[in-house]
Amino acid sequence: MLNRFGFSLLSIGLAVCLNCDLQAQDILEQMYGSGVHAFYSGRSDEAQEIFDEVINAGSQDPRVHYYRGLTQIQSQGGMVEAGMADFEQAAQLEVTSRTSANVARALQRIQGPTRIAIEKVRARARLAAKSLQQDAVRGLPSNPQAVPPTGNAPAGADPFANGEGLNGGTPTPMPPNNDPGTMPSSDPAMPGLNTPAPAGNTNPFGDDTTPAPAPGAAPATDNPFGI
């Protein structure tokens, strides 16, 4: 019974908080509408004050930043650069915040160079958000500069950097060359391999230098069939 009673109190509290939040959103929406009306009526100072209050109250509506930038442009005699900071904040809110505000409809009456500048800022923000989303899908870090390039070892990891260690130690002397004409052998059962070749003898298999008969030609005095 106590748990049910406590759950009922929690539900009532959540409903009250939700109702307060909805009322606050309604108030901010009404203030935004009043600021837009003041803007189109040429009351720039009043519109600026209203938009400042709405933003300071925590509004995440990108339309408020767009119109505060437009109000600053109006106050500066049409200088588009005066509203660029607010346009950039509004574009970021448009791609990151969960809002159902119809920005295109809200800016329908804004045309000319100011609208062109706004659309450029919106396009850059959407492109940047899409690029981050694609990197997240591929598993890439959001800051590529924080990752060392592939294949480059960190500083100090190469023991031969700057030539250090290349000349260290004592070189091992090479064994002397064998005498010409001697074929070394480690097998004591075949001493003939260690005997130098006789001078002028090009036949490594013995002293018999008689040429062998041509293949297929039998000697004239040798009849293998006895005929």
Side-chain angles (χ1 to χ4, degrees), residues 66 87 91 94-95 103-104 107 115 117-127:
Y66 280 124
F87 293 162
E94 193 175 353
V95 298
V103 176
L107 300 175
R115 182 59 182 272
I118 292 176
E119 293 303 322
K120 287 182 178 180
V121 173
R122 295 179 72 193
R124 287 198 299 266
R126 289 193 295 267
L127 183 61

Side-chain angles (χ1 to χ4, degrees), residues 134-145:
Q134 291 177 348
D135 290 345
V137 172
R138 293 194 298 264
L140 298 178
S142 58
N143 185 11
Q145 296 180 356

